[in-house]
Amino acid sequence: MAVYLTFFNSYIESGILLLIGYFFFINCLQKKGKLFYQVLSAVSGCSLILLLPVGSVASYLIYALFLMAIGILIYHVDWKSVLFYAALAVEIMELCLGIVNSLAGILYLGIAPLHQNVAAVTSALLGILAFLLAIVCYRTVYRYFVRDEMMEKQYLFMILIPILLLFFMDEYINLTLYGNTALRNAGGAIFVNHYQMLFIQFFGMASLFCILFAYKKLLQNFHLSTKLSLLEQEEHFLNQYVEEARARYEQTKSFRHDIKNHITVVKDLLENGKQEEALTYIGDLAEGTAALSFPCSTNNPVADILLGNKLGMAERMGIKVECSLLLPYPCPVRDIDFCIILSNALDNAIRACQEVEDGSEKYIRVTGRMQGDFILLEVENCFRGKKSANRGTGLSNIKAVAEKYQGAMSMKTQNTAFLLSVLLVIPRHTESIPRQNG
């Protein structure tokens, strides 16, 4: 009986737990591998199960390395994510085994005095509870902390370090505190305080979920901060648009009020045969009306106002500007989102041109077009060198807007030229993208 129970505990229970952890790890990667690789992974996992039954620090570490190798070599996932998910899978497995082992110890001490074989079988069958507990924990973590929450790579170490500390602390407790808390009964036999160990294991599991919950809240705060920054920029652009529209309206109103007088003067000059004076007067009038037009006509009035302000500022600084941008109007992309992209890009371009040494060519080129369901916006400018290429502000806001429309942002440098490209995906028939606000 003892031989069969040992085989069951060492290989069957351990093997099932390792497979459960393996499938959790693969689901976290959210990758679909080929059938050949799946079979190869299963065979390697079975070999690992036969050689390394679960329960020692070495087995946990080797199993984690096995998962990392699968994630990197077969599924081609970045090492940071692979390390995090492998550590998470191993830590949950360790805590589930610790809880079940403590319960088994408690039941064994209670049943063993009555019937030794029944106590041994009961402890072995508690392995089923380990399967169920592991499945519940893995499913909860995947559903609430992995699947619905985008794991930001730059913040993974914030959660990975406490998880690793929790793992090594639990192992330290199992190896050292287990012996230090041993008690002797009246007969002098040594037994372990399993109630204390059960409490420690439950506390470790609760700590793990608290770490994941805190990390999720932290990511939500980061996302809310980005949204708040976008909203602040939207408010700024709305106020700027209102002020510019008011100024344009006053200029147009004044010109409209005087247009009759201008027509009367030109008419009198022509009737009196003073054609040269009439032409001069019309030329002066044309120069006056130039202020009412936009230096860059994009087919989008809000973008025209923004580009007029930014490019006009650049020209006054001695920067050569070129604009070849045509936007669809009306368009599923909100006017404010266009402003966030163009304003941040042009602010960075102007700042980069100011850092260029005098005597060198200073330029800004704005281009853009729509082809099919895609809008491509590009801003090219000169800059001082590669060290200043990624110093621009507002790039996170540009990236957030691009991702809002299922697009992407990219940056490229060549010699002293810096190119910022923003791709927006605009499906013609979709309700997932906010529509134009008038």
Side-chain angles (χ1 to χ4, degrees):
M1 176 68 71
V3 175
Y4 293 110
L5 291 177
T6 302
F7 177 81
F8 181 79
N9 290 330
S10 300
Y11 298 106
I12 304 301
E13 290 183 0
S14 301
I16 295 176
L17 274 176
L18 290 173
L19 287 177
I20 293 174
Y22 172 80
F23 285 113
F24 166 77
F25 175 77
I26 297 302
N27 287 332
C28 289
L29 297 182
Q30 297 181 354
K31 297 284 187 177
K32 292 183 178 180
K34 296 181 180 180
L35 180 60
F36 171 76
Y37 294 137
Q38 292 283 0
V39 174
L40 179 62
S41 301
V43 172
S44 302
C46 292
S47 302
L48 185 68
I49 291 167
L50 294 175
L51 296 175
L52 296 168
V54 174
S56 63
V57 178
S59 64
Y60 285 128
L61 294 178
I62 294 177
Y63 180 64
L65 292 175
F66 165 75
L67 293 179
M68 292 179 62
I70 294 296
I72 295 175
L73 300 178
I74 295 181
Y75 292 95
H76 305 291
V77 180
D78 63 281
W79 68 271
K80 292 182 180 179
S81 300
V82 168
L83 177 60
F84 169 72
Y85 292 129
L88 189 59
V90 171
E91 176 62 17
I92 293 176
M93 181 188 304
E94 179 192 36
L95 291 172
C96 290
L97 280 174
I99 292 174
V100 172
N101 288 337
S102 298
L103 287 175
I106 293 173
L107 292 177
Y108 183 83
L109 290 177
I111 301 175
L114 302 177
H115 200 289
Q116 189 76 22
N117 290 334
V118 173
V121 172
T122 302
S123 300
L125 292 178
L126 278 176
I128 299 176
L129 178 61
F131 307 153
L132 297 177
L133 183 59
I135 291 173
V136 170
C137 292
Y138 282 138
R139 182 175 177 82
T140 302
V141 170
Y142 177 75
R143 181 176 180 181
Y144 293 102
F145 302 105
V146 176
R147 186 186 64 180
D148 297 332
E149 189 68 33
M150 183 176 61
M151 307 302 289
E152 300 287 350
K153 297 178 183 178
Q154 61 267 36
Y155 306 129
L156 279 181
F157 282 107
M158 297 176 60
I159 185 175
L160 179 61
I161 293 176
I163 288 178
L164 291 177
L165 289 176
L166 188 63
F167 168 77
F168 288 112
M169 183 61 67
D170 192 43
E171 282 299 318
Y172 174 79
I173 291 172
N174 288 330
L175 294 176
T176 60
L177 188 60
Y178 224 95
N180 295 336
T181 57
L183 302 177
R184 291 183 179 272
N185 57 19
I190 298 177
F191 66 94
V192 177
N193 188 348
H194 293 289
Y195 290 98
Q196 187 179 34
M197 293 305 302
L198 180 63
F199 172 78
I200 292 175
Q201 298 295 340
F202 271 118
F203 183 77
M205 184 68 76
S207 300
L208 177 63
F209 278 94
C210 287
I211 292 172
L212 293 174
F213 180 78
Y215 178 71
K216 182 176 182 179
K217 289 298 181 182
L218 182 63
L219 282 185
Q220 290 176 349
N221 289 334
F222 282 137
H223 296 328
L224 288 176
S225 298
T226 302
K227 291 181 180 180
L228 180 61
S229 177
L230 290 175
L231 289 175
E232 290 176 350
Q233 282 205 342
E234 288 184 6
E235 181 183 9
H236 170 72
F237 291 136
L238 282 173
N239 294 331
Q240 186 179 30
Y241 173 74
V242 170
E243 292 299 326
E244 184 68 20
R246 182 182 291 113
R248 293 278 178 178
Y249 175 76
E250 293 297 332
Q251 293 177 355
T252 304
K253 180 180 178 181
S254 176
F255 179 80
R256 192 169 58 236
H257 178 269
D258 297 335
I259 190 64
K260 292 183 179 180
N261 296 329
H262 295 314
I263 293 176
T264 300
V265 172
V266 173
K267 181 180 178 182
D268 291 340
L269 290 174
L270 292 176
E271 287 179 349
N272 294 326
K274 300 179 179 180
Q275 296 181 356
E276 293 185 1
E277 289 82 350
L279 292 174
T280 302
Y281 191 89
I282 292 174
D284 295 337
L285 187 62
E287 292 179 0
T289 59
L292 300 178
S293 60
F294 296 101
C296 183
S297 179
T298 66
N299 199 36
N300 184 302
V302 178
D304 289 346
I305 292 175
L306 175 67
L307 289 171
N309 288 335
K310 298 295 183 181
L311 296 182
M313 182 190 306
E315 284 185 327
R316 291 191 292 272
M317 295 178 180
I319 302 173
K320 181 181 178 181
V321 299
E322 297 179 15
C323 182
S324 177
L325 176 61
L326 185 62
L327 300 175
Y329 192 85
C331 177
V333 179
R334 298 176 61 200
D335 294 335
I336 291 298
D337 293 331
F338 276 133
C339 287
I340 291 175
I341 295 173
L342 293 173
S343 178
N344 285 292
L346 290 174
D347 285 342
N348 291 337
I350 293 173
R351 187 179 300 108
C353 289
Q354 288 179 314
E355 295 177 354
V356 174
E357 297 179 357
D358 294 336
S360 302
E361 182 184 10
K362 300 181 180 181
Y363 66 91
I364 297 175
R365 298 189 186 99
V366 182
T367 59
R369 62 189 182 277
M370 181 173 183
Q371 184 174 1
D373 294 340
F374 302 93
I375 295 179
L376 179 63
L377 304 176
E378 293 183 334
V379 177
E380 182 182 351
N381 60 271
C382 59
F383 74 110
R384 186 174 57 185
K386 292 184 178 181
K387 293 183 179 181
S388 61
N390 296 324
R391 289 173 50 191
T393 59
L395 293 177
S396 59
N397 290 340
I398 297 177
K399 182 180 178 181
V401 172
E403 292 176 348
K404 175 181 177 182
Y405 294 93
Q406 293 80 47
M409 179 194 75
S410 64
M411 297 176 289
K412 184 172 64 175
T413 60
Q414 184 176 4
N415 296 329
T416 59
F418 177 83
L419 177 64
L420 174 67
S421 301
V422 181
L423 180 67
L424 306 177
V425 181
I426 313 297
R428 298 177 182 177
H429 303 287
T430 181
E431 297 179 357
S432 61
I433 296 178
R435 294 293 174 183
Q436 189 76 23
N437 292 337

